[in-house]
Amino acid sequence: MNLTITANPGTAALALYDGARGAAAALAGLIRDPGVLSALCRDAPDVAGQLLTQLPHAGGELLNGLDLGTILVGGWQKSRQLRAAAVRSHLDGYRGRTERVLLAAHTITSSHHPYVEVYADERRVLTLTFSIDMTFTIGLLHAGVREGRLVSLHPGGDCEVTVGWGVEGYKITEKKVPIRVPAVTIPVGAGIPLAARPA
């Protein structure tokens, strides 16, 4: 099953910039600093010129590949309250009913460390690791749980995400952005699995 929760902005690159192109421009600005470029290429100084032209695009695509909705879903799948409701939903008296679970204001954190590998003549000469740290601050939320799945969301408060992005210990940027979520019940299709039916 493919499930999508659409947050606006939808990706980490859109939260920080106007997409992968804006992210690439920001990264290019950082590595144009001769000291930064020299440090990144310390183990392979002869690839500095190529790195300057190719790394920004690769880094921007990594940032653009992080879908905020998917990260939110992953956080809610770990919620003790939602999982407890999902377990209850398999018991007699709960089957087939949707239980509304109130989640007070909460945060979901997510850290990612994607990397790019740099090759020269088919030999890997560098591995550069990025850091992407996100903290979602989510206001009051009602969630519907039925048959072990999260089946609906009803936001009742403000939501925002703070995204920090860096490469090899150099900070590229950090920004706090509101997430626009409609103040209506959002059905989530067949639902997000929270707890399997007991065997």
Side-chain angles (χ1 to χ4, degrees), residues 87-95 97 197:
V87 169
R88 279 194 303 275
S89 72
H90 294 300
L91 301 176
D92 290 338
Y94 287 91
R95 284 194 201 108
R97 291 179 31 209
R197 183 185 301 275

Short mmCIF file of all heavy atoms in Angstrom, two decimals, residues 87-95 97 197:
data_model
loop_
_atom_site.label_atom_id
_atom_site.label_comp_id
_atom_site.label_asym_id
_atom_site.label_seq_id
_atom_site.Cartn_x
_atom_site.Cartn_y
_atom_site.Cartn_z
N VAL A 87 -4.27 -1.35 19.50
CA VAL A 87 -4.38 -2.67 20.14
C VAL A 87 -5.81 -2.88 20.62
O VAL A 87 -6.41 -3.95 20.41
CB VAL A 87 -3.36 -2.79 21.30
CG1 VAL A 87 -3.64 -4.03 22.13
CG2 VAL A 87 -1.93 -2.83 20.75
N ARG A 88 -6.40 -1.85 21.25
CA ARG A 88 -7.79 -1.96 21.73
C ARG A 88 -8.76 -2.21 20.58
O ARG A 88 -9.76 -2.90 20.73
CB ARG A 88 -8.21 -0.67 22.45
CG ARG A 88 -7.77 -0.54 23.85
CD ARG A 88 -8.50 0.58 24.58
NE ARG A 88 -8.37 1.88 23.94
CZ ARG A 88 -7.36 2.74 24.12
NH1 ARG A 88 -6.36 2.40 24.94
NH2 ARG A 88 -7.34 3.90 23.51
N SER A 89 -8.45 -1.63 19.43
CA SER A 89 -9.39 -1.71 18.31
C SER A 89 -9.61 -3.14 17.82
O SER A 89 -10.57 -3.41 17.09
CB SER A 89 -8.90 -0.84 17.15
OG SER A 89 -7.77 -1.41 16.51
N HIS A 90 -8.76 -4.07 18.23
CA HIS A 90 -8.93 -5.47 17.85
C HIS A 90 -9.76 -6.25 18.87
O HIS A 90 -10.07 -7.43 18.65
CB HIS A 90 -7.56 -6.15 17.69
CG HIS A 90 -6.75 -5.61 16.55
ND1 HIS A 90 -7.18 -5.65 15.25
CD2 HIS A 90 -5.55 -4.98 16.53
CE1 HIS A 90 -6.27 -5.10 14.46
NE2 HIS A 90 -5.27 -4.69 15.21
N LEU A 91 -10.11 -5.62 20.00
CA LEU A 91 -10.84 -6.31 21.06
C LEU A 91 -12.34 -6.26 20.79
O LEU A 91 -12.85 -5.36 20.12
CB LEU A 91 -10.55 -5.65 22.41
CG LEU A 91 -9.08 -5.62 22.86
CD1 LEU A 91 -8.95 -4.84 24.17
CD2 LEU A 91 -8.53 -7.04 23.00
N ASP A 92 -13.06 -7.25 21.37
CA ASP A 92 -14.52 -7.25 21.28
C ASP A 92 -15.04 -5.93 21.84
O ASP A 92 -14.55 -5.42 22.85
CB ASP A 92 -15.11 -8.41 22.08
CG ASP A 92 -14.83 -9.75 21.44
OD1 ASP A 92 -14.56 -9.78 20.22
OD2 ASP A 92 -14.86 -10.78 22.15
N GLY A 93 -16.03 -5.38 21.20
CA GLY A 93 -16.61 -4.12 21.63
C GLY A 93 -15.98 -2.91 20.95
O GLY A 93 -16.53 -1.83 20.96
N TYR A 94 -14.78 -3.09 20.38
CA TYR A 94 -14.11 -2.00 19.68
C TYR A 94 -14.04 -2.25 18.17
O TYR A 94 -13.88 -1.31 17.40
CB TYR A 94 -12.67 -1.82 20.20
CG TYR A 94 -12.59 -1.19 21.57
CD1 TYR A 94 -12.58 -1.98 22.70
CD2 TYR A 94 -12.52 0.20 21.71
CE1 TYR A 94 -12.50 -1.41 23.97
CE2 TYR A 94 -12.45 0.77 22.96
CZ TYR A 94 -12.44 -0.04 24.09
OH TYR A 94 -12.36 0.52 25.33
N ARG A 95 -14.14 -3.52 17.76
CA ARG A 95 -13.98 -3.85 16.33
C ARG A 95 -15.01 -3.09 15.49
O ARG A 95 -16.18 -3.03 15.83
CB ARG A 95 -14.14 -5.35 16.10
CG ARG A 95 -12.92 -6.12 16.52
CD ARG A 95 -12.96 -7.55 15.98
NE ARG A 95 -12.08 -8.37 16.78
CZ ARG A 95 -12.48 -9.29 17.63
NH1 ARG A 95 -13.75 -9.55 17.78
NH2 ARG A 95 -11.61 -9.96 18.34
N ARG A 97 -15.34 -0.01 15.07
CA ARG A 97 -15.59 1.36 15.53
C ARG A 97 -14.34 2.21 15.35
O ARG A 97 -13.22 1.70 15.43
CB ARG A 97 -15.98 1.36 17.02
CG ARG A 97 -17.32 0.76 17.29
CD ARG A 97 -17.68 0.75 18.76
NE ARG A 97 -17.11 1.84 19.53
CZ ARG A 97 -16.80 1.77 20.83
NH1 ARG A 97 -17.00 0.65 21.48
NH2 ARG A 97 -16.31 2.80 21.46
N ARG A 197 -3.46 -7.32 14.13
CA ARG A 197 -4.44 -8.12 14.86
C ARG A 197 -3.71 -9.29 15.54
O ARG A 197 -2.87 -9.93 14.91
CB ARG A 197 -5.48 -8.67 13.88
CG ARG A 197 -6.60 -9.46 14.54
CD ARG A 197 -7.52 -10.07 13.48
NE ARG A 197 -8.12 -9.06 12.64
CZ ARG A 197 -9.24 -8.40 12.94
NH1 ARG A 197 -9.86 -8.65 14.06
NH2 ARG A 197 -9.73 -7.50 12.10
#
